[in-house]
Amino acid sequence: MRLILASTSPARLSVLRGAGIEPVCFAPEVDEDAEVRARETEIGRALTAPELTEYLGRLKAEDVVRRHAADIAELGGGLVLGGDSMFLLDGEVLGKPHLPDVALERSKQHRGKTGVLHSGHWLIDCTDGAAGKTDAASCPAAGSVDTAKVTLAADVTDAELAAYVATGEPLQLAGGFAIDGLAGAFIERIEGAPSCVIGLSLPALRRLVRELGHDYPELWTGGSPVATA
């Protein structure tokens, strides 16, 4: 059974490949700010961080199903996964720092503290896509949010943080750290699924696959390479 990832994130792809799943990837095209504003206007309040990650994951999955219906049908259908992540420290949402100065400031703020990483998922069942059923509105779907806590060691020095920022690794990462990268030695403790911290919770994915009536091992591909769209 094919997993179709509504993302081109190297981190999410790495998590799946490490778990024996080789997805087909499509880049979603979603105006996140506009969609969130519209949703919050509709419900009359701001979305919480967990709600926001699941909602954005849903928008991404539905966008890929809608725009790539023909491609999904040609693959013989599959499960389409969208996701989003958000890191909170001291109650403040921290997105990708982008700039070295911002990354360094945030890393110093995180030092000796525990941040919370929310990872939202939305899975759409298009497994009968070969028969033409790739309309997101008519496909079964399920969503889930997983949460993990990340504690940065209190004794990490300014020099170590500056050296890490200088590598460029944290600039495009929510929260500014990669536990599976150069900053692994700075992370003192993780509470929750390690894959959740990277941006895609494998336990959450397994639960969603089962909720939609499939067996998780069906996704294993044995590492066979699949062309990325």
Side-chain angles (χ1 to χ4, degrees):
M1 182 170 59
R2 181 73 69 204
L3 182 70
I4 298 158
L5 181 63
S7 171
T8 55
S9 162
R12 292 191 178 105
L13 183 58
S14 176
V15 169
L16 290 170
R17 284 177 169 168
I21 301 169
E22 186 70 36
V24 174
C25 302
F26 294 106
E29 297 179 5
V30 176
D31 186 337
E32 297 184 13
D33 291 338
E35 293 286 356
V36 170
R37 284 196 300 269
R39 178 59 177 162
E40 290 181 337
T41 298
E42 179 185 355
I43 65 176
R45 63 172 177 82
L47 293 167
T48 65
E51 289 173 337
L52 186 57
T53 58
E54 183 178 295
Y55 183 61
L56 290 175
R58 176 176 181 171
L59 292 177
K60 293 173 184 178
E62 290 179 345
D63 175 74
V64 164
V65 170
R66 181 171 56 253
R67 290 190 304 106
H68 293 281
D71 299 303
I72 295 171
E74 185 176 347
L75 289 168
L79 299 177
V80 181
L81 176 65
D84 196 81
S85 297
M86 186 168 295
F87 185 76
L88 282 77
L89 184 65
D90 296 331
E92 178 186 0
V93 175
L94 301 182
K96 299 175 182 178
H98 297 298
L99 300 174
D101 288 348
V102 176
L104 184 57
E105 180 182 353
R106 289 182 179 177
S107 64
K108 290 180 178 179
Q109 179 187 353
H110 191 179
R111 181 168 46 195
K113 296 181 180 179
T114 299
V116 179
L117 193 288
H118 298 289
S119 185
H121 313 75
W122 193 262
L123 193 66
I124 301 177
D125 188 348
C126 294
T127 51
D128 58 347
K133 185 180 177 183
T134 51
D135 174 15
S138 65
C139 292
S144 176
V145 179
D146 203 1
T147 299
K149 296 180 179 180
V150 184
T151 302
L152 190 66
D155 64 350
V156 179
T157 67
D158 287 354
E160 287 176 318
L161 294 176
Y164 178 56
V165 171
T167 68
E169 182 180 89
L171 302 187
Q172 301 300 321
L173 300 172
F177 282 94
I179 66 167
D180 57 336
L182 299 174
F186 302 158
I187 305 299
E188 187 171 80
R189 184 170 62 256
I190 296 173
E191 299 175 52
S195 58
C196 177
V197 180
I198 302 173
L200 190 162
S201 169
L202 291 171
L205 174 59
R206 174 181 172 271
R207 290 192 294 269
L208 291 176
V209 170
R210 288 168 57 87
E211 184 176 339
L212 292 176
H214 300 283
D215 293 325
Y216 178 76
E218 292 181 62
L219 293 178
W220 291 338
T221 55
S224 301
V226 176
T228 301

